[in-house]
């Protein structure tokens, strides 16, 4: 780094004081951010990334959070010595932040234009009209269509990508010198993610901003950062420029993060995880050649040719209300004339952007949403024609793993109660103890400890909660499971563990999957065949390797090109 640093973090320590004692969230870390440069901070959930950014912004929750030592020097001034009034002048003006979840960061009762204008009026002496005009101009800069009309929308009226753009517009409203981006693309479609990364890079060039970009995905970091700081368990374990991190990583944790992301063009038998490179104490392991052996899916032993599921001309639509009395004036076809077959023991990947109909198709197959027309033939029986009681019995064989593990688990029930509930409903097992034993067995099968069964969902990490959802889906020993974006919001290391687990369980129990995702890299790894969805239709379907090697549709090529390559920021500069 040759430029003088705009921000210098020196020997920073952050502790959280709780009833259970003191937890060290950030342990003696140091790094610099030069003017006009981007530093990427990467690591798994709980590594201390977000706590570091909140310390810089002066937003740590007091009195629980304490900073016993360290300096945060911004333009040579220690922000830790600033009072609340001084920090309010800095926040949003000289240092701004884009938070991870735009829906919870935007006020649902105010129009987005007003929320951007408010930021401007706090820090600039301008009239309401001038602030509003500036807000509309900012929305235009960040690529929101029809900004004059969109400024009058409420957050719930905008897509996830548009809400994130509103957050970016708000963050750059006062042309800050430093922009902190806390996981701004984590749950976005790969195409929207690419647009947001391109947008941030372009805005940085235009305003000569510095950026602190926080993520768990080294692929994303490689496309936007000049330098990278790798955090593990509250410590900085490696610092270097992005190119050196990608090609000559030194620490086993960094090597693990680089290796565990599914890569297009390679079909490993299993994904590597961080635990393949280091043990729980951080001691490096030797990764054997056999562990990284590559094979082509076509070379696998032939699976059953028996068709388990056949979907014919399926249509699912939702009413569009309008007029004075809110009558149905039209219908929106979320699934529009979809047909496919799925053989026993195989995995069909459904890929596409948000709103393309993937989730609606998955739920329609299980009749969680009633289709308007078409046939769903499962094991030779058209389940669109069966009654409620017969459908209830069929659901023992058909299960779903939902996208958000937290909202799909009852917070008032222990995990033991959650896992045994399906057994109680379907009267499986001879009594409470036998059902509990079945829950323990499957709980350990998904990599968790039986001693944790009496805990509640909030006491587990995101990856552990997803494993609980997988265990619940398998309690009734189903034949067919729909995985609805079941790894999209997980750390890449946890994502690799869950994907490996799904493959292990498929082999052990003979499961058939429909795997829904917006990430072609993940789908390419786990699926035998891939269906690409756009506007309610499957526009392309082929073997996973063929979809990657020879995509026929322009839309598929766009999805492939949007996947972060992790090849360095220089490649992105040509796009802006």
């Amino acid at each position: 780094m040759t430029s003088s640093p705009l921000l210098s973090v020196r020997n920073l320590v952050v502790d959280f004081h709780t009833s259970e004692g003191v937890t060290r969230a950030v342990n003696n870390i140091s790094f610099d951010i030069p003017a006009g440069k981007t530093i990427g901070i990467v690591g798994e959930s709980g590594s201390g990334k977000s706590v570091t950014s909140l310390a810089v912004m002066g937003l740590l929750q007091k009195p629980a959070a304490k900073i016993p030592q360290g300096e945060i020097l911004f333009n040579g001034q220690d922000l830790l010595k600033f009072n609340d009034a001084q920090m309010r002048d800095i926040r949003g003006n000289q240092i701004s932040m884009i938070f991870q979840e735009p829906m919870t960061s935007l006020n649902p009762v105010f129009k987005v234009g007003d929320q951007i204008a408010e930021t401007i009026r706090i820090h600039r002496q301008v009239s309401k009209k001038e602030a509003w005009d500036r807000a509309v101009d900012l929305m235009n800069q960040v690529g929101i269509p029809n900004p004059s009309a969109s400024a009058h929308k409420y957050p719930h009226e905008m897509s996830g990508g548009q809400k994130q753009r509103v957050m970016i517009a708000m963050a750059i409203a006062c042309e800050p010198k430093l922009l902190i981006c806390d996981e701004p693309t984590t749950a976005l479609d790969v195409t929207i993610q690419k647009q947001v990364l391109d947008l941030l890079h372009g805005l940085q060039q235009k305003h000569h901003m510095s950026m602190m970009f926080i993520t768990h995905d080294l692929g994303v970091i490689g496309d936007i950062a000049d330098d990278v700081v790798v955090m593990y368990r509250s410590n900085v374990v490696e610092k270097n420029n992005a190119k050196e991190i990608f090609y000559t990583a030194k620490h086993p944790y960094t090597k693990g993060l680089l290796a565990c992301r599914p890569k297009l063009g390679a079909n490993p038998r299993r994904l590597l995880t961080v635990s393949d490179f280091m043990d729980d104490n951080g001691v490096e392991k030797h990764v054997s050649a056999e562990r990284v052996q590559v094979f082509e899916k076509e070379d696998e032993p032939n699976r059953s040719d028996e068709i388990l599921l056949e979907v014919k001309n399926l249509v699912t639509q939702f009413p569009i209300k309008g007029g004075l009395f809110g009558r149905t004036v039209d219908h929106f076809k979320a699934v529009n004339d979809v047909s496919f077959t799925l053989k026993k023991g195989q995995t069909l990947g459904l890929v596409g952007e948000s709103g393309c109909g993937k989730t609606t198709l998955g739920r329609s197959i299980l009749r969680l949403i009633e289709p308007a027309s078409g046939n769903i033939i499962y094991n030779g029986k058209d389940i669109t024609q069966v009654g409620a009681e017969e459908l209830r019995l069929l659901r023992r064989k058909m299960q779903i793993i939902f996208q958000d593990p937290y909202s799909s688990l009852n917070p008032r029930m222990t995990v033991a109660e959650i896992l045994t509930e399906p057994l109680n409903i379907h009267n499986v097992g001879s009594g409470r103890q036998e059902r509990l034993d079945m829950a323990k067995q499957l709980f350990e099968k998904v990599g968790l400890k039986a001693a944790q069964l009496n805990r509640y969902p909030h006491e587990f990490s995101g990856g552990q909660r997803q494993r609980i959802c997988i265990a619940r889906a398998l309690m009734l020993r189903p034949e067919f499971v729909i995985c609805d974006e079941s790894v999209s919001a997980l750390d890449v290391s946890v994502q690799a563990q869950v994907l490996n687990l799904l493959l292990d369980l498929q082999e052990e129990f003979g499961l058939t999957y429909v795997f829904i995702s917006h990430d072609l890299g993940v789908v390419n790894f786990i699926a035998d065949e891939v269906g690409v969805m756009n506007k309610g239709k499957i526009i392309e379907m082929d073997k996973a390797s063929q979809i990657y090697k020879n995509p026929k549709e322009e839309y598929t090529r766009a999805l492939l090109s949007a996947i972060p390559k992790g090849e360095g920021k220089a490649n992105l500069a040509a796009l802006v």
Side-chain angles (χ1 to χ4, degrees):
M1 299 182 183
T2 55
S3 307
S4 58
L6 174 72
L7 183 83
S8 290
V9 174
R10 292 282 174 265
N11 307 314
L12 182 68
V13 173
V14 180
D15 290 337
F16 284 95
H17 295 254
T18 68
S19 58
E20 297 178 357
V22 178
T23 299
R24 179 144 293 182
V26 173
N27 186 27
N28 198 34
I29 71 167
S30 300
F31 61 86
D32 294 333
I33 305 180
K37 297 291 185 180
T38 298
I39 187 168
I41 300 184
V42 69
E44 296 171 285
S45 296
S47 62
K49 310 184 302 295
S50 294
V51 173
T52 301
S53 68
L54 293 173
V56 173
M57 291 290 287
L59 291 175
L60 288 172
Q61 189 175 0
K62 299 175 182 178
K66 297 186 184 299
I67 301 178
Q69 76 170 55
E71 295 177 311
I72 301 175
L73 303 173
F74 181 70
N75 272 337
Q77 295 181 293
D78 189 355
L79 298 181
L80 297 180
K81 295 178 180 177
F82 280 28
N83 59 35
D84 289 344
Q86 289 173 308
M87 281 306 300
R88 279 196 298 271
D89 185 58
I90 291 283
R91 279 195 297 265
N93 188 17
Q94 296 187 60
I95 305 176
S96 281
M97 187 166 180
I98 303 167
F99 294 95
Q100 179 171 356
E101 178 46 66
M103 193 64 225
T104 56
S105 305
L106 294 170
N107 193 319
V109 301
F110 291 104
K111 296 173 181 176
V112 295
D114 288 327
Q115 297 187 54
I116 299 170
E118 180 188 25
T119 303
I120 298 166
R121 295 194 71 208
I122 287 172
H123 296 289
R124 300 285 187 270
Q125 297 299 317
V126 297
S127 67
K128 280 187 176 181
K129 184 180 184 307
E130 288 173 319
W132 179 267
D133 291 343
R134 168 74 173 150
V136 173
D137 179 57
L138 285 163
M139 291 178 72
N140 183 53
Q141 285 187 44
V142 299
I144 294 174
N146 196 1
S148 297
S150 295
H152 291 278
K153 291 182 177 180
Y154 292 92
H156 73 273
E157 297 178 290
M158 309 186 86
S159 69
Q162 288 175 334
K163 285 196 287 275
Q164 196 63 283
R165 288 168 184 265
V166 170
M167 285 295 301
I168 294 170
M170 196 181 303
I172 66 167
C174 296
E175 299 185 5
K177 294 177 182 176
L178 173 64
L179 181 63
I180 299 173
C181 308
D182 186 8
E183 304 263 17
T185 63
T186 295
L188 298 180
D189 297 336
V190 285
T191 48
I192 303 298
Q193 174 179 271
K194 184 174 186 297
Q195 292 170 20
V196 170
L197 293 177
D198 290 354
L199 171 64
L200 288 170
H201 183 69
L203 292 169
Q204 180 187 31
Q205 299 299 305
K206 181 177 180 180
H207 300 291
H208 196 63
M209 290 187 302
S210 298
M211 282 204 299
M212 179 195 297
F213 195 97
I214 297 168
T215 184
H216 59 252
D217 190 342
L218 266 167
V220 171
I221 282 288
D223 280 355
I224 198 165
D226 299 289
D227 299 281
V228 179
V229 173
V230 182
M231 291 190 69
Y232 175 66
R233 293 184 179 176
S234 311
N235 294 282
V236 171
V237 295
E238 189 162 2
K239 287 188 290 189
N240 214 326
N241 65 65
K243 184 176 179 181
E244 292 298 322
I245 287 286
F246 274 88
Y247 292 104
T248 59
K250 303 290 192 298
H251 197 276
Y253 180 68
T254 312
K255 294 176 183 177
L257 288 180
L258 285 166
C260 63
R261 198 179 197 282
K263 295 174 179 63
L264 286 170
N267 288 316
R269 198 172 297 276
R270 291 172 59 84
L271 289 174
L272 293 166
T273 65
V274 171
S275 61
D276 291 306
F277 290 85
M278 59 188 284
D279 63 21
D280 289 340
N281 297 317
V283 178
E284 186 167 7
K285 294 179 180 178
H286 174 69
V287 184
S288 66
E290 292 78 16
R291 186 72 181 83
V292 295
Q293 182 181 0
V294 172
F295 79 112
E296 291 295 327
K297 286 187 171 69
E298 289 87 344
D299 295 335
E300 284 188 295
N302 290 328
R303 293 178 178 171
S304 169
D305 286 329
E306 185 180 349
I307 292 175
L308 178 72
L309 177 71
E310 188 173 5
V311 174
K312 295 181 179 179
N313 308 113
L314 193 68
V315 174
T316 302
Q317 58 190 24
F318 298 101
I320 299 172
K321 305 290 185 180
L324 182 62
F325 299 104
R327 295 191 179 96
T328 299
V329 296
D330 202 352
H331 286 86
F332 170 70
K333 290 185 178 179
V335 176
N336 189 5
D337 196 28
V338 167
S339 300
F340 65 85
T341 59
L342 180 59
K343 295 176 182 178
K344 279 189 175 180
Q346 295 202 343
T347 300
L348 170 67
L350 290 176
V351 70
E353 297 173 286
S354 294
C356 70
K358 308 184 301 293
T359 294
T360 303
L361 174 58
R363 295 188 180 197
S364 298
I365 291 169
L366 298 183
R367 280 186 59 188
L368 296 176
I369 299 173
E370 288 293 343
S373 62
N375 305 99
I376 305 164
I377 300 167
Y378 179 79
N379 258 339
K381 176 169 290 197
D382 189 348
I383 66 173
T384 62
Q385 306 300 319
V386 303
E389 180 59 27
E390 191 174 355
L391 182 62
R392 189 180 74 84
L393 295 173
L394 269 172
R395 288 214 171 112
R396 284 189 59 176
K397 300 295 184 183
M398 307 167 74
Q399 291 290 313
I400 185 168
I401 303 167
F402 293 100
Q403 178 172 358
D404 182 358
Y406 195 75
S407 62
S408 60
L409 296 172
N410 190 326
R412 294 181 178 86
M413 295 172 69
T414 65
V415 172
E417 291 168 336
I418 288 169
L419 295 184
T420 55
E421 184 182 33
L423 304 177
N424 295 333
I425 290 171
H426 291 277
N427 199 27
V428 176
S430 59
R432 182 180 181 277
Q433 188 56 49
E434 184 179 347
R435 290 166 185 166
L436 191 59
D437 290 342
M438 292 169 69
K440 285 180 182 178
Q441 182 182 5
L442 198 49
F443 198 62
E444 291 177 343
K445 184 77 70 179
V446 299
L448 297 171
K449 296 176 181 177
Q452 299 172 308
L453 275 169
N454 288 323
R455 293 184 183 180
Y456 290 87
H458 73 272
E459 297 179 272
F460 294 86
S461 70
Q464 288 173 324
R465 285 196 292 266
Q466 194 62 281
R467 289 168 181 263
I468 293 166
C469 290
I470 292 170
R472 179 178 61 181
L474 298 181
M475 283 303 298
L476 295 169
R477 296 292 189 267
E479 300 173 326
F480 172 63
V481 180
I482 292 177
C483 306
D484 184 12
E485 297 273 16
S486 52
V487 298
S488 64
L490 299 179
D491 292 339
V492 285
S493 52
V494 178
Q495 174 182 275
Q497 294 169 19
V498 172
L499 290 172
N500 287 340
L501 172 63
L502 289 171
L503 288 179
D504 290 343
L505 294 170
Q506 182 177 41
E507 186 173 337
E508 181 172 351
F509 298 117
L511 297 170
T512 305
Y513 292 137
V514 168
F515 192 92
I516 297 169
S517 179
H518 59 251
D519 188 337
L520 257 172
V522 169
V523 169
N524 177 68
F525 167 71
I526 200 168
D528 300 287
E529 283 195 302
V530 176
V532 182
M533 286 195 73
N534 186 24
K535 297 179 180 178
K537 293 179 176 287
I538 292 181
I539 61 170
E540 184 168 359
M541 183 173 282
D542 208 332
K543 289 184 177 178
S545 57
Q546 289 303 311
I547 288 283
Y548 166 66
K549 292 175 183 174
N550 187 30
K552 297 179 176 60
E553 297 290 329
E554 183 60 36
Y555 180 76
T556 311
R557 288 193 285 271
L559 286 178
L560 287 164
S561 65
I563 296 171
K565 306 299 189 297
E567 295 170 348
K569 188 176 175 180
N571 295 313
L572 185 63
L575 301 172
V576 179

